[in-house]
C-alpha cells in the first residue's frame, strides 16, 4: 500500500521547504523506499497537437492551469493516463507560464497524412527568375468513438533574402502568420470523421540560385 505522509510547504525567498507534520519511520533494511509527501487532484484539459511537417502523428496533450498554488518543484515525473503508465517527463517550473503542458504520447487511433498535390507542383521561368509552385493536402481521421479537439500547425517557407520571395499564399480554414509562416488549424473532429485542409504558395528566386522548395 502507498504511504502518504502529511506535509506543509513553506515558501522561502529562493526555495520551497516541505515540513513533514507526522513523523515517519524508515526501516534500516538497506532498501530504497518511496514516500508520498502530498497528493493533489489537478484539473486538466486535453487536446491533440499535430505538426504534420515534422511527423505525421497526433500527440495527446494535457494542459494544467492554476498549478502555481500547489508549490510544485522541478524534477522528473511519471505520467499516467487512466491509471496506465505512459512515460516519463521533466517537470520544469522555473519558467513563468500560465499553463503546464504534458505530452501523453501518440494516439494510434488518430491518423494524419501530409501529401503534396502533384497537379499544383510546377516550375516556370519568368525573365531571370524561377518560380516554384507548391500545394499540400493535410488530412486527419478520427477512428475514436468520441469527438476530439485538435490543434494542427504547418508552415509556409519564409525568407529574409529580398531576392527570394514567398507569394500567393492560399489556405482554407486556418489562420496564417506572415512573420513565422505558420498556418494554424483549430477544430473539433467528430467520431469516425475525417477533416481535410489544403494550402499553396509560390517561391520566386533568381534562376542561378540553387534552392530546394518544399
Amino acid at each position: 500500500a502507498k504511504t502518504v505522509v502529511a506535509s506543509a510547504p513553506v515558501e522561502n525567498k529562493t526555495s520551497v521547504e516541505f515540513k513533514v507534520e507526522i513523523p515517519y519511520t524508515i526501516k534500516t533494511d538497506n532498501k530504497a523506499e518511496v514516500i508520498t509527501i502530498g497528493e493533489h487532484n489537478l484539473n486538466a484539459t486535453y487536446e491533440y497537437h499535430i505538426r504534420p511537417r515534422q511527423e505525421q502523428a497526433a500527440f495527446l496533450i494535457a494542459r494544467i492551469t492554476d498549478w502555481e498554488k500547489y508549490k510544485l518543484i522541478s524534477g522528473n515525473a511519471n505520467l499516467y493516463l487512466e491509471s496506465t503508465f505512459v512515460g516519463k517527463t521533466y517537470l520544469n517550473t522555473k519558467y513563468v507560464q500560465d499553463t503546464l503542458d504534458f505530452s501523453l504520447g501518440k494516439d494510434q487511433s488518430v491518423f494524419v497524412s501530409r501529401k503534396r498535390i502533384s497537379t499544383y507542383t510546377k516550375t516556370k521561368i519568368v525573365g531571370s527568375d524561377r518560380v516554384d509552385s507548391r500545394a499540400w493536402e493535410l488530412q486527419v481521421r478520427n477512428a475514436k468513438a468520441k469527438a476530439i479537439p485538435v490543434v494542427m500547425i504547418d508552415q509556409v517557407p519564409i525568407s529574409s533574402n529580398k531576392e527570394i520571395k514567398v507569394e500567393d499564399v492560399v489556405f482554407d480554414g486556418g489562420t496564417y502568420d506572415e512573420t513565422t509562416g505558420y498556418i494554424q488549424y483549430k477544430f473539433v473532429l467528430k467520431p469516425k470523421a475525417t477533416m481535410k485542409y489544403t494550402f499553396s504558395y509560390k517561391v520566386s528566386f533568381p534562376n542561378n540560385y540553387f534552392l530546394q522548395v518544399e
Side-chain angles (χ1 to χ4, degrees), residues 62-159:
R63 313 200 71 196
I64 299 174
T65 57
D66 296 331
W67 58 270
E68 300 96 332
K69 65 183 179 181
Y70 296 105
K71 310 300 180 184
L72 302 178
I73 58 176
S74 298
N76 295 321
N78 296 327
L79 297 177
Y80 293 84
L81 180 62
E82 297 177 346
S83 301
T84 300
F85 177 72
V86 295
K88 295 178 178 288
T89 189
Y90 183 80
L91 177 62
N92 190 346
T93 62
K94 294 181 180 179
Y95 299 101
V96 180
Q97 297 175 335
D98 294 332
T99 305
L100 279 179
D101 290 348
F102 296 97
S103 175
L104 301 177
K106 299 178 185 178
D107 191 324
Q108 304 299 333
S109 298
V110 182
F111 301 91
V112 180
S113 68
R114 183 183 195 263
K115 297 179 181 179
R116 183 193 292 179
I117 301 175
S118 58
T119 55
Y120 193 84
T121 302
K122 300 176 182 178
T123 298
K124 64 179 181 179
I125 304 300
V126 180
S128 60
D129 287 346
R130 170 177 167 173
V131 180
D132 282 358
S133 301
R134 295 290 184 270
W136 301 89
E137 180 188 84
L138 309 177
Q139 181 171 304
V140 184
R141 180 165 67 89
N142 178 18
K144 304 174 76 66
K146 60 181 180 181
I148 58 173
V150 177
V151 177
M152 180 168 62
I153 297 178
D154 212 299
Q155 189 176 30
V156 170
I158 57 175
S159 173

Side-chain angles (χ1 to χ4, degrees), residues 42 47 59 62 74 79 123 138 142 157 160 174 187 189 201 212-213:
L42 305 180
E47 61 188 21
F59 291 83
S74 298
L79 297 177
T123 298
L138 309 177
N142 178 18
S160 58
F187 55 94
L189 189 55
Y201 52 87
Q212 184 175 0
V213 177

